[in-house]
Amino acid sequence: MSQPVFPFLTTLVFLPVGGAVAAMAAPRLVQPAHRRPVAILVGALAMTATLAVALAMAVEFRVGDSGYQFVSAHEWIPALGISWQLGVDGISLFLVLMAAVLFPLALLGARESERAPSYVAWLLLLEAACLGSFVALDLVLFFLFFEITLVPAYFVIAGWGTGRRAAAATKFFLYTFLGSAFLLVGIVAVAVIHDQQTGRFTFDLLALEHTRLGLSTQVLLFLAFTAAFAVKAPIFPFHTWSPDAYGSSPTGGAVALAAVMAKLGTYGVIRFDLTLFPRAVVDAAPVLLSLGVAGILYGAIVAAVQRDLKRILAYSSLAHIGFIVLGLFALSTEAVTGGVLQMVNHGLVTAALFLLVGWVWERRGTVDAGRLRGLQRSAPVLAGFFTLAMMASIGLPGLNSFVGEFLVLSGTFLTHRWWAVVATFGVVLAAVYLLWAFQRAFHHRPTPETSQTKDLRWGEIAVMVPLAGLIVFLGVYPKPVLDRITPSVEALVHQVDQATGRHQPAVANGGVAAVTAAGRRTPAAASTAGVPVVTAAALGPARAGGPLDLALPPFPEQRRLP
């Protein structure tokens, strides 16, 4: 761990909190007619400052270091073993950056006209809670941030949503709050067991990861933690709150919920489940892989029969969360790296799509695909950005989701072959429902109402350009991101392997680069696309039958400690 000269992470968390206070206070000092622009200006400045801190942290981040950096450690409630412990590694770095990028775009791209100071303040508090969750290394601190996200999200949905917004907000709150109750019990149980073994009562993750837990205890605690993470993500079949919440949310709220908050669940699986309960994760992997594949197929099939574009995106998000779950529980370095990258990719693509659909709603008062016929003729720029984001969601080569899905599927194929084979059909189904929705909404002869629809304004184009640029950049040149993610993933998977006695295939060891039998990286592995180059030597001497012998390895034997 490295101690920072400047408290990057503490500043990162408290800047949005200060912005929320200012967004509520500053508008009271001006005339009522000026309160909305003042609130948005204050919120945008606070979020931009937060983004600047995140970017500075990314620049200072040491490539190749698998440990936590910029650590901020202070005693908070020593009598209860609770500390202010923050840190970031390659896994959480880009989730922090993603959140810091998306929140100001959500604010500027979907400005609410009613009660703007309150809306901006809730968004800023939600940003602070999400960022705190991504960097917290104390379990109680993580739980507090994890739970605080519910409050602003509830008020954003209930206060500025559409349709049955009150019911959707209540359902969202109750589902996620119930799941979090199990998480709190699990956190306290881990701390008590650690205290019994060491005489030290603490919630420090770095100390708790050395707690000795029996297999049955690990399984019970894994279920308690994962109950909260599965609801928050959401993972099939714990997703039933998400279509209503996403569909009823205002545009900015939908971006925050689907693009950022959903990653708190999958991040929790990586940070806590794989770290604290590795043997339970290995035993439960087939079940979670099956749920991931079921979510991919179910989400795609249900999305294909929807007419409402918001609900299509909600079920599409469920399918993409399934790919992330698949990568995380495949437990190969390549697949987990792909899962982490796909968390970032999904956030960018989902944010772009929800913003575009929100702008369609503002112009037409509906997001029914059948009633939006011919939208491409009257709004070609909107249609162009929608096409780019849609193709990225499908996984078109050259756009960001292709790299993540490729790593997930290829890494899963090495360790859990048939789950990867079935999940591949989800890529095909994604093309079906997204292209069909695009054809219904944007093609054909426009209706009289659609023909009067205005195209994107310059401010909206300015919001979309960064998202489009990141989608293309990460699809063409993901190496800078992978170089920072891979060391932390390698260390995590190695820790799981050591704790369980399992072995992943040699070709999957080392993340996104093939390794030789001697353990050295091959020169050909340094591809700019960041995808593995499989050589005969990488498969080991027993399989190197010739220069073109690229036979796939059989299923590895999963040896476990008794």
Side-chain angles (χ1 to χ4, degrees), residues 51 54 92-104 131 134 259-261 263 342-348:
L51 175 59
S92 55
L93 173 65
F94 291 99
L95 295 172
V96 169
L97 282 171
M98 177 194 70
V101 168
L102 293 184
F103 269 97
L131 291 172
F134 287 136
V260 182
M261 271 190 65
K263 308 310 177 298
Q342 195 61 8
M343 289 163 66
V344 178
N345 292 336
H346 175 261
L348 297 174

Side-chain angles (χ1 to χ4, degrees), residues 282 330-333 414-416 493-494 496-509 553-561:
V282 171
L331 298 177
S332 70
T333 309
L414 295 172
T415 56
H416 298 84
V493 174
H494 178 68
V496 173
D497 289 348
Q498 280 193 320
T500 60
R502 66 183 289 277
H503 299 285
Q504 57 177 323
V507 71
N509 189 28
F555 286 112
E557 292 296 328
Q558 303 274 336
R559 297 190 295 106
R560 301 181 180 86
L561 295 174

Side-chain angles (χ1 to χ4, degrees), residues 42 221 237 258 322 351:
V42 170
L221 291 173

Side-chain angles (χ1 to χ4, degrees), residues 76-381:
W76 184 20
I77 311 177
L80 298 178
I82 303 173
S83 61
W84 179 265
Q85 183 103 338
L86 308 177
V88 67
D89 64 355
I91 294 172
S92 55
L93 173 65
F94 291 99
L95 295 172
V96 169
L97 282 171
M98 177 194 70
V101 168
L102 293 184
F103 269 97
L105 295 180
L107 175 64
L108 296 175
R111 293 175 293 180
E112 299 299 325
S113 59
E114 297 181 1
R115 305 185 308 281
S118 298
Y119 176 77
V120 173
W122 285 127
L123 271 189
L124 283 163
L125 288 176
L126 183 57
E127 180 182 21
C130 289
L131 291 172
S133 299
F134 287 136
V135 300
L137 298 181
D138 181 279
L139 269 67
V140 169
L141 187 62
F142 170 82
F143 178 79
L144 291 176
F145 284 127
F146 191 79
E147 285 298 277
I148 288 173
T149 59
L150 302 184
V151 179
Y154 170 84
F155 283 107
V156 167
I157 298 171
W160 291 269
T162 59
R164 301 182 61 202
R165 58 188 184 181
T170 302
K171 186 176 182 180
F172 156 76
F173 190 94
L174 292 177
Y175 270 59
T176 50
F177 189 74
L178 177 61
S180 298
F182 293 98
L183 175 62
L184 180 59
V185 172
I187 288 173
V188 174
V190 173
V192 169
I193 294 172
H194 181 81
D195 179 48
Q196 292 173 347
Q197 294 179 0
T198 65
R200 180 191 175 200
F201 190 76
T202 181
F203 294 96
D204 182 358
L205 176 64
L206 303 180
L208 294 177
E209 66 183 17
H210 300 293
T211 307
R212 298 184 304 276
L213 301 172
L215 180 57
S216 59
T217 304
Q218 282 200 27
V219 169
L220 291 174
L221 291 173
F222 168 79
L223 293 175
F225 275 65
T226 308
F229 301 148
V231 173
K232 184 81 88 174
I235 299 172
F236 177 88
F238 305 96
H239 68 283
T240 53
W241 63 268
S242 61
D244 293 333
Y246 294 173
S248 299
S249 294
T251 302
V255 171
L257 282 173
V260 182
M261 271 190 65
K263 308 310 177 298
L264 298 183
T266 50
Y267 172 76
V269 169
I270 299 174
R271 181 61 70 223
F272 301 106
D273 284 352
L274 270 67
T275 300
L276 298 175
F277 321 118
R279 294 175 64 189
V281 168
V282 171
D283 282 347
V287 176
L288 271 298
L289 288 168
S290 299
L291 293 181
V293 171
I296 292 170
L297 300 180
Y298 175 83
I301 292 171
V302 176
V305 299
Q306 300 295 317
R307 293 174 58 90
D308 186 292
L309 291 180
K310 272 194 172 184
R311 294 186 72 86
I312 290 174
L313 296 183
Y315 285 106
S316 174
S317 181
L318 173 64
H320 284 87
I321 291 294
F323 276 105
I324 297 171
V325 172
L326 193 71
L328 301 186
F329 286 94
L331 298 177
S332 70
T333 309
E334 188 176 341
V336 176
T337 301
V340 175
L341 179 61
Q342 195 61 8
M343 289 163 66
V344 178
N345 292 336
H346 175 261
L348 297 174
V349 173
T350 300
L353 289 171
F354 268 112
L355 282 170
L356 291 167
V357 171
W359 293 333
V360 171
W361 169 267
E362 291 176 6
R363 287 159 167 77
R364 292 281 285 105
T366 181
V367 287
D368 187 311
R371 296 174 60 186
L372 297 173
R373 292 171 59 91
L375 195 58
Q376 183 172 268
R377 292 192 182 183
S378 56
V381 177

